[in-house]
Structure formats: structure tokens, C-alpha cells
Amino acid sequence: MLIGELASRAGTSTRTLRYYEEQGLVRPQRDSNGYRQYDDAELRVVHEIRSLLAVGFGLDDIKPFVACLRAGNSSGHVCPDSVVVLRRKLAEVDGYLSQLTEIRQQLQTQLTQAVEHRETRCWTSSP
């Protein structure tokens, strides 16, 4: 398939596909006239890239998943290098969750104090 068809089937743009190619993630074949040709394996790679980007992975983090697919695996998640990246990303997300939990607790405390203070002021200033 040509780049336009791949873009359409993958739900992305031709410009994005060229960028993935520049990053070494997508590998088209070339016709004698120089046109890019893609097979269904590249469509799978693009779907993998897009799904990983959607959950917060960067392009450098995605490379092991693509390499895993290219090695003939049914999933990009099963290779040791991919597992390392998954563990690192999970630890990063856990860190964010801890930070957000602390922020939430601080906000809840501030809100509780503000409401109590407001209620106290309203009660003491009534005639």
C-alpha cells in the first residue's frame, strides 16, 4: 500500500508517517519510481506506535516495542527490552499518582480549613 492508504488505515497523516520513518520506527520499501510501499506488518507497527503514544510513551521508549514486533512476535510487549520500558513507565506513573495524592490531600485540607473558617466568621459576625 502507498503512504496515503497506510495513513488512512492507521488513522494518521502522511507527514506523521514520514516522521516515524525519520525516527527509524517505520520502514517502507521503495518502488522503482521511489514511492514508499508498506505492507500489513508496517500497519501493525503504526498501530503499536499510536497506542503507546496515546498512553504517554515517547518515541524513544517505543523503539523496543517496534523491534519486538519486527522480530516476529505477536505483541511488542513480550520482549525483555519492552518489559524494561514498561516497568520504568509504570514506576513513573506510580510516582505521579503519589504526587497527585499528596496534592489532593493538601487541597482537601485547605478546602476544609477555608469552609470551617468561613462558617466560623459567619456565625461570629451575626447579630
Side-chain angles (χ1 to χ4, degrees):
M1 73 187 93
L2 295 174
I3 193 168
E5 182 181 354
L6 177 63
S8 177
R9 289 178 64 187
T12 192
S13 68
T14 57
R15 183 176 181 185
T16 298
L17 293 176
R18 287 188 200 100
Y19 181 69
Y20 293 165
E21 182 182 349
E22 288 172 14
Q23 299 302 307
L25 295 169
V26 174
R27 295 186 200 156
Q29 301 296 317
R30 293 283 184 161
D31 280 348
S32 58
N33 60 7
Y35 287 176
R36 292 172 175 87
Q37 282 289 335
Y38 300 90
D39 58 19
D40 286 338
E42 291 305 305
L43 177 60
R44 232 174 101 217
V45 166
V46 173
H47 281 298
E48 182 83 359
I49 293 167
R50 309 250 322 131
S51 68
L52 291 167
L53 286 171
V55 295
F57 285 91
L59 290 179
D60 285 337
D61 288 335
I62 291 172
K63 289 179 181 181
F65 296 90
V66 171
C68 191
L69 284 175
R70 292 197 190 289
N73 293 294
S74 61
S75 169
H77 298 79
V78 298
C79 295
D81 290 344
S82 300
V83 171
V84 167
V85 173
L86 286 168
R87 283 188 175 133
R88 186 176 68 237
K89 190 64 168 178
L90 183 60
E92 182 182 313
V93 168
D94 286 342
Y96 291 145
L97 287 172
S98 294
Q99 289 175 340
L100 287 171
T101 299
E102 288 177 27
I103 291 169
R104 186 186 190 291
Q105 289 171 346
Q106 289 173 1
L107 291 170
Q108 184 64 50
T109 299
Q110 289 174 349
L111 177 60
T112 300
Q113 290 172 350
V115 168
E116 287 173 358
H117 179 72
R118 182 175 176 207
E119 289 174 358
T120 302
R121 287 188 67 209
C122 288
W123 285 106
T124 58
S125 63
S126 310

